[in-house]
Amino acid sequence: MTAFGTLAVLYPKDAAFSAERALELVPDAATVVVDHGYDIYGPDLSAIDRARPTLEYDPRWSELTVRIGTRLPW
């Protein structure tokens, strides 16, 4: 639980945990899915806006850290 509500972080991003599927699995949460790819910031992230479920975007770990309110591994 964050100041913004429940945030689900799911791994790995595939058919079982696509960003769209995650909305169904965790209906009261904002959703971020960890992908298999890496860049200099760590594993790739995909997020989906519950208000616009067709819009998938790629936040950085630093943005996720701000939302959670604590440090993360990357």
Side-chain angles (χ1 to χ4, degrees):
M1 183 66 112
T2 71
F4 300 95
T6 303
L7 178 67
V9 179
L10 306 171
Y11 175 83
K13 180 183 177 185
D14 57 19
F17 286 132
S18 68
E20 295 84 6
R21 176 80 175 118
L23 289 179
E24 298 169 11
L25 295 171
V26 191
D28 62 338
T31 305
V32 175
V33 181
V34 181
D35 206 346
H36 294 286
Y38 274 81
D39 63 16
I40 62 171
Y41 302 105
D44 294 338
L45 298 174
S46 296
I48 192 157
D49 185 340
R50 187 167 292 283
R52 289 184 236 130
T54 58
L55 176 64
E56 187 173 319
Y57 58 98
D58 304 314
R60 290 191 176 171
W61 282 95
S62 58
E63 294 169 325
L64 187 56
T65 298
V66 170
R67 301 297 184 263
I68 291 178
T70 190
R71 295 185 326 160
L72 294 168
W74 286 278

